[in-house]
């Protein structure tokens, strides 16, 4: 069976069974059990941390070009197995196969290739000081902990592992308990590509496992992808041990559509920004601010096009909208939709749905409605109307989140003015939700700390050592 992994964990270069409670992995479409794992318990935690601590110095001492070659080979292996991996991701997450073929593992392979190529180009600085001089060394942090969310499980594992390993760190990765299968595949692929035992390991389990790993003094850094609520707890725990952090968290991102925008493009972006991956995307533009003059036309087109989305079995190539990741999550999204209806917000299309499905849903609400203030993480778009640019920007920035933002306009000066004014880590102009590995990605305000991808990620997996070089005699007072 395609989904059955070799064992529940990957420790010290091999598949290892767990001794903790059973962890059933279900296909979100029909809740059938596709794999049964056993969670990591104390012996597996200790084995993984000890192996990582042992392997990391040797890995960091290798020539960067050798480290990079292994990552690049892993990218090649992923591309060679693209179809099998896409199918596994669809079973694990419930996301349509037409998405997992182009978005998930492919973007993971891009990260491995990008950081594989970058590894050998990472250098320090030379600092002239008259006769004396200094130089900096960019050094690995040690053993890093990666903790993943369930919406892009394989992409998240690759986005964390690639820069960490390129820089000479070891990583213990804990996937979300909802979607544990992709990271195990990544560990197998990295081993096949030549990665030494102990450098990348996967432990499966829930939040208690994440907390236990984070509490271990061998962990030098944690990179979390998850909710703002989890981010606060993990950040606080990391701070108590003065550990480095990357926090890739949630948001309630704004998308501003001005009345001079190409209407069909703007509607298309709003669809991508709310219904792709059944709305389970961190950077989604879930607050769509539409300028008054075009609001009704925009909503008409949005409802018409959203109504054309094909929902169904995510293994079916025609399916564009899959189930939500779990029955529990579907219940939460449905509760938010029902609360929106009860609040008196105008329901333009969609509704609560049933079973694992919630249809593409569009509300018009005011800024204070929970529909416009809280992340729902499902296919639910809240439209708001505005009059002026200043007003739209002020309202867009009013929430404590700042992961992403978008603006649609044909006015170039306005586009860049609004981009500069957004309080967000990533801004798209006349585009939305594109995250190529070449550009840094991450949030501001409560949406996160640090950046993934691009050269910026290397800074978050390394530290600078400064070396002062005395070239003459030492002038002491006595
Ligand atoms: N910014 C980004 O790049 C990005 C990308 C994807 C998802 N997200 C966010 O992730 C959230 C959805 O994912 P989720 O429901 O899996 O998030 P979550 O916060 O519930 O869980 C994320 C991970 O943290 C672990 N965890 C939970 N509590 C922990 C603790 N106290 N100590 C250590 N580990 C702990 C979980 O087991 C899981 O692996 C959304 O808010 C979404 O916006 C952000
Ligand atoms: C990082 N991204 C936007 C690709 C997926 C977030 O959920």
């Amino acid at each position: 069976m395609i989904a059955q992994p070799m064992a529940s964990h990957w420790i010290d270069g091999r598949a290892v069974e767990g001794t903790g409670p059973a962890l059933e992995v279900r296909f979100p479409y029909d809740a059938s059990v596709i794999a049964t794992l056993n969670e990591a318990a104390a012996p597996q935690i200790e084995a993984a941390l000890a192996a990582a601590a042992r392997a990391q110095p040797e890995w960091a001492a290798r020539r960067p070009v050798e480290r990079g070659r292994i990552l690049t080979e892993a990218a090649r292996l992923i591309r060679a197995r693209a179809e099998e991996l896409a199918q596994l991701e669809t079973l694990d997450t419930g996301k349509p196969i037409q998405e997992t073929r182009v978005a998930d593992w492919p973007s993971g392979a891009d990260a491995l290739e990008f950081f594989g190529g970058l590894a050998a180009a990472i250098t320090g600085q030379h600092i002239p000081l008259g006769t004396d001089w200094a130089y900096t060394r960019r050094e690995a942090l040690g053993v890093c902990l990666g903790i993943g969310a369930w919406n892009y499980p394989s992409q998240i594992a690759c986005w964390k592992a690639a820069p960490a390993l390129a820089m000479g760190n070891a990583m213990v990765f804990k996937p979300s308990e909802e979607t544990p299968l992709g990271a195990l595949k990544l560990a197998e692929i990295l081993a096949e590509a030549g990665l030494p035992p102990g450098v990348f390991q996967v432990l499966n389990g829930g939040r208690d496992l994440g907390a236990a790993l984070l509490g271990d003094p061998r962990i030098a850094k944690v990179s979390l992808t998850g909710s703002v609520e989890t981010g606060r707890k993990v950040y606080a725990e990391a701070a108590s041990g003065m550990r480095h952090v990357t926090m890739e968290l949630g948001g309630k991102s704004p998308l501003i559509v001005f009345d001079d925008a190409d209407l069909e493009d703007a509607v298309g972006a709003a669809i991508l920004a709310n219904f792709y991956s059944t709305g389970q995307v961190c950077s989604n533009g879930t607050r769509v601010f539409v300028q008054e003059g075009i609001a009704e036309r925009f909503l008409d087109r949005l409802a018409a096009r959203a109504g054309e989305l094909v929902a169904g079995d995510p293994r079916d190539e025609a399916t564009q909208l899959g189930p939500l990741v779990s029955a529990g999550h579907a219940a939460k999204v449905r509760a938010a939709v029902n609360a929106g209806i009860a609040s008196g917000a105008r329901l333009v299309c969609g509704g609560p749905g049933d079973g694992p499905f919630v249809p593409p849903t569009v509300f018009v609400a005011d800024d204070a409605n929970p529909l416009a203030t809280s992340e729902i993480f499902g296919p639910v778009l809240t439209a708001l109307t505005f009059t002026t640019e200043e007003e739209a920007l002020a309202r867009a920035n009013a929430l404590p989140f700042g992961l992403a933002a978008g603006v649609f306009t044909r006015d170039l000066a306005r586009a860049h003015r609004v981009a500069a004014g957004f309080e967000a880590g990533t801004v798209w102009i006349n585009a939305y939700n594109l995250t190529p590995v070449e550009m840094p990605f991450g949030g501001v305000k409560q949406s996160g700390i640090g950046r993934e991808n691009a050269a910026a990620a290397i800074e978050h997996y390394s530290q600078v050592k400064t070396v002062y070089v005395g070239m003459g005699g030492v002038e002491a007072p006595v």
Side-chain angles (χ1 to χ4, degrees), residues 95 103 107 149 151-152 155-156 159 225 248-249 280-284 377 403 428 433-435 441 452-453:
K95 294 198 295 181
S107 108
N151 63 332
Y152 277 79
Q155 178 193 78
I156 289 169
W159 282 18
T225 296
E248 290 288 346
L249 309 178
Q280 301 164 122
V281 182
C282 54
S283 46
N284 270 357
F377 221 54
L403 188 56
W428 290 281
N433 258 354
L434 302 174
T435 54
F441 181 79
E452 295 197 305
N453 288 346

Side-chain angles (χ1 to χ4, degrees), residues 147-151 156 174-177 205-207 210-211 214 224-228 230 233-234 248-251 281-282 375 377 403 441 447 452:
I147 302 180
W150 45 257
N151 63 332
I156 289 169
K174 190 204 89 61
S176 166
E177 53 275 40
R207 62 188 54 192
L214 187 55
L224 167 76
T225 296
S227 61
V228 172
T230 301
K233 290 182 198 148
V234 170
E248 290 288 346
L249 309 178
V281 182
C282 54
E375 185 183 52
F377 221 54
L403 188 56
F441 181 79
S447 292
E452 295 197 305

Side-chain angles (χ1 to χ4, degrees), residues 11-253:
I11 302 173
D12 208 6
R14 57 196 186 88
V16 172
E17 212 29 87
T19 53
L23 177 64
E24 286 186 333
V25 187
R26 290 176 187 273
F27 178 36
Y29 177 63
D30 59 11
S32 58
V33 175
I34 54 169
T36 302
L37 310 182
N38 288 299
E39 291 189 19
Q44 291 82 50
I45 296 174
E46 179 50 34
L49 289 171
R54 191 204 63 239
Q56 189 271 324
E58 189 275 332
W59 175 243
R62 287 202 184 191
R63 283 185 61 201
V65 74
E66 281 179 42
R67 295 200 299 264
R69 201 176 294 135
I70 290 170
L71 300 184
T72 308
E73 172 61 7
R76 191 193 67 75
L77 291 171
I78 288 170
R79 293 204 176 98
R81 292 175 201 166
E83 182 57 25
E84 174 202 340
L85 293 170
Q87 288 188 26
L88 180 64
E89 194 79 342
T90 285
L91 289 175
D92 210 13
T93 62
K95 294 198 295 181
I97 188 73
Q98 62 165 254
E99 287 190 20
T100 56
R101 278 185 184 144
V102 298
D104 297 74
W105 279 103
S107 108
D110 282 356
L112 289 159
E113 191 169 30
F114 179 89
F115 288 104
L118 193 62
I122 300 163
T123 58
Q125 262 184 307
H126 169 262
I127 304 166
L129 298 169
T131 311
D132 292 351
W133 57 285
Y135 63 94
T136 61
R137 291 166 51 88
R138 191 160 278 283
E139 297 183 343
L141 298 173
V143 179
C144 300
L145 171 62
I147 302 180
W150 45 257
N151 63 332
Y152 277 79
S154 302
Q155 178 193 78
I156 289 169
C158 292
W159 282 18
K160 295 188 190 311
L165 271 46
M167 196 50 235
N169 299 283
M171 174 165 273
V172 177
F173 187 79
K174 190 204 89 61
S176 166
E177 53 275 40
E178 300 281 358
T179 52
L181 302 180
L184 288 169
K185 275 284 167 219
L186 176 62
E188 282 174 36
I189 287 169
L190 283 166
E192 193 179 332
L195 193 74
V199 177
F200 180 75
Q201 302 176 97
V202 176
L203 291 182
N204 275 305
R207 62 188 54 192
D208 290 348
L209 172 62
L213 286 164
L214 187 55
D216 191 282
R218 285 167 286 193
I219 297 294
K221 180 212 166 91
V222 58
S223 176
L224 167 76
T225 296
S227 61
V228 172
E229 189 190 355
T230 301
R232 284 198 195 97
K233 290 182 198 148
V234 170
Y235 189 27
E237 175 61 26
S240 72
M242 210 60 88
R243 297 189 176 93
H244 297 252
V245 296
T246 297
M247 294 281 147
E248 290 288 346
L249 309 178
K252 191 77 189 174
S253 299

